[in-house]
């Protein structure tokens, strides 16, 4: 059922929102035992909110269950970005997106599992004591990352449901692709980051993941728009995204990114994307090939320099004094910080802090961080030029089908980072992009797995994503 139809039934009393919420929570607990999609399920808070909605079901999201990536602050509920260093942290305020969802009657059901602080593409880099989410189609495989729990639960449940994910370099579209759902990462600044536990401030975005495109559009209408509390949040009118679903796509200009099909891309994925592109042509879209060499050749190193540099300064605050787990205070401050951080941060977090600190250190700053910032500008220019000619650019979201955990273990650190090769470009450029599930393919082991297509649009043109996405899903 689409969220809109469900909400109508809540409003006219056909569904009892409190009873429904109780059932939803039980179902989530059951799924969680097997799949690890939640770090916490907030039963008490969800039922309290359901009771409020029962009294006043006038909100745009009345009664809709919403799961939330752990790095987004929810008042009174553990919000840890999947890290032991924040275990037990219960924010005293709601992130702006949460405030808006609650105001419209949405019901927050829990915090979803993720790579610690968002550092990963498979959700295997979870914090110490946290569990790895398992792919809904095959438990031996990864959900993608870093919003892996959001992707998994969105696919697994049958009741109407939306999840809020976060992306710095691809963490919304990647798990959406691996879990076979829609994930929309908005333009940088379209949705407020107030109350998000930062990874990289110039890159982070919050966006919805859902099974229906109409649900994605509906949630975007609620969460997007100016926020007094966040200076990078844009003061631009919010479109009626819902109106874009089911509009004719004839005349739409689509560029297929040539470098999106290089060596290393699964043949099944290439086949499926090309098949779907033919269908778009039949529906009246004009399709041809475009080269985005700067973005694909230099995107990864540029992203990992900028992302880790920003992360290393952001994470400095978790030192066990004002923020983060306290340990017994003894020795010098440096001894204390060392103890807190080495005990409570995972291996990948430590690696990123070291990498980022190195890249922006005096003497190396020009060679790494500043050079990356310059290439970022080149990448933005390359996309802007492309959007003079095209409405939408397309390519696979990730080059491979969801891998199994044994294969992931064999990857080197750099091979791990390579899963982001196609997603870092739009993230560096702050462009809105979306994963659309376009069907299933069998891998070498004969398992049917979801394939995702990534659509990229120009700044603030989320409308075109919804329009083309809905045509693809017909
Ligand atoms: N996989 C990327 C990384 O590890 C992207 C993560 C994200 O978008 N949060 O940095």
């Amino acid at each position: 059922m689409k969220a809109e139809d469900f909400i109508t039934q809540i409003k006219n009393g056909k569904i009892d929102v409190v009873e429904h919420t109780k059932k939803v929570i039980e179902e989530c607990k059951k799924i969680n035992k097997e799949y690890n999609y939640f770090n916490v399920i907030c039963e008490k808070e969800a039922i309290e909110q359901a009771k409020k909605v029962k009294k006043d079901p006038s909100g745009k999201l009345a009664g809709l269950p919403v799961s939330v990536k752990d790095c987004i602050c929810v008042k009174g509920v553990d919000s840890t970005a999947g890290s032991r260093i924040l275990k037990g942290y219960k924010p005293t305020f709601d992130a702006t997106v949460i405030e808006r969802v609650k105001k419209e009657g949405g019901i927050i059901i829990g915090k979803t599992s993720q790579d610690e602080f968002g550092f990963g593409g498979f959700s295997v880099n979870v914090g110490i004591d946290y569990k790895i989410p398992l792919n809904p189609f095959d438990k031996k495989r990864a959900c993608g990352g870093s919003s892996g729990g959001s992707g998994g639960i969105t696919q697994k449940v049958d009741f109407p449901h939306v999840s809020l994910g976060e992306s710095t370099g691809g963490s919304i579209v990647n798990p959406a692709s691996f879990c076979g759902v829609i994930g929309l990462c908005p333009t940088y600044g379209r949705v407020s980051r107030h109350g998000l536990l930062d990874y990289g401030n110039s890159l982070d975005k919050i966006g919805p993941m859902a099974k229906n495109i109409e649900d994605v559009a509906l949630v975007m209408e609620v969460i997007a728009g100016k926020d007094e509390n966040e200076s990078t949040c844009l003061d631009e009118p919010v479109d009626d995204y819902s109106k874009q679903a089911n509009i004719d796509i004839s005349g739409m200009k689509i560029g297929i990114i040539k470098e999106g099909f290089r060596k290393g891309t699964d043949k099944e994925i290439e086949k499926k994307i090309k098949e779907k592109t033919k269908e778009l042509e039949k529906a009246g879209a004009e399709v041809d090939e475009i080269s985005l060499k700067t973005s694909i050749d230099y995107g990864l190193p540029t992203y990992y320099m900028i992302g880790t540099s920003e992360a290393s300064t952001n994470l400095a605050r978790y030192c066990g004094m004002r923020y983060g787990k306290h340990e017994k205070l003894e020795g010098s401050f440096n001894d204390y910080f060392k103890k807190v951080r080495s005990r409570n941060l995972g291996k990948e977090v430590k690696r990123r802090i070291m990498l980022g600190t190195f890249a922006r250190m005096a003497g190396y700053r020009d060679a790494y961080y500043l050079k990356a910032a310059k290439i970022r500008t080149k990448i933005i220019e390359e996309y802007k030029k492309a959007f003079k000619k095209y409405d939408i650019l397309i390519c696979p979201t990730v080059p491979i089908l969801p891998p199994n955990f044994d294969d992931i273990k064999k990857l080197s650190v750099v091979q791990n980072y390579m899963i982001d090769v196609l997603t870092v470009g739009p993230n560096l450029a702050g462009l809105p992009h979306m994963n659309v599930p376009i069907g299933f393919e069998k891998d070498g082991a004969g398992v049917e797995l979801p394939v995702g297509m990534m659509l990229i649009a120009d700044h603030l043109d989320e409308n075109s994503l919804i329009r083309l996405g809905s045509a693809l899903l017909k």
Side-chain angles (χ1 to χ4, degrees), residues 69 118-121 146 166-171 199 303-304 352 420:
K69 189 174 182 179
F119 300 154
S146 61
E166 172 276 341
S167 172
T168 310
S171 280
Y199 169 166
Y303 168 77
Y304 275 93
R352 303 242 180 158
D420 306 322

Side-chain angles (χ1 to χ4, degrees), residues 217-235:
L218 178 69
V219 169
M220 275 299 292
E221 287 168 10
V222 170
I223 62 174
K226 181 178 156 65
D227 179 11
E228 296 288 331
N229 286 324
E230 212 260 88
S231 60
T232 62
C233 190
L234 298 167
D235 184 7

Side-chain angles (χ1 to χ4, degrees), residues 294-295 372-384:
T294 311
S295 168
K374 286 177 192 160
I375 302 170
R376 185 182 195 177
T377 305
K378 291 272 170 221
I379 291 173
I380 297 171
E381 284 167 3
E382 185 176 61
Y383 280 110
K384 286 312 247 186

Side-chain angles (χ1 to χ4, degrees), residues 252-270:
M252 232 177 163
K253 295 193 177 60
I254 298 170
I256 307 186
I257 304 171
K258 202 166 104 194
E259 292 79 8
F261 303 90
R262 280 182 174 165
K263 199 167 145 255
T265 307
D266 282 354
K267 285 282 152 279
E268 296 82 9
I269 294 183
E270 179 163 359

Side-chain angles (χ1 to χ4, degrees), residues 69 115 117-122 125 145-147 166-172 174 199 204 303-304 348 352 416-417 419-420 423-424 427:
K69 189 174 182 179
D115 289 293
F117 287 107
F119 300 154
F122 301 106
N125 300 332
S146 61
S147 314
E166 172 276 341
S167 172
T168 310
S171 280
I172 292 176
N174 162 324
Y199 169 166
D204 297 343
Y303 168 77
Y304 275 93
E348 183 61 22
R352 303 242 180 158
N416 249 286
Y417 296 172
I419 192 69
D420 306 322
T423 60
V424 287
N427 279 278

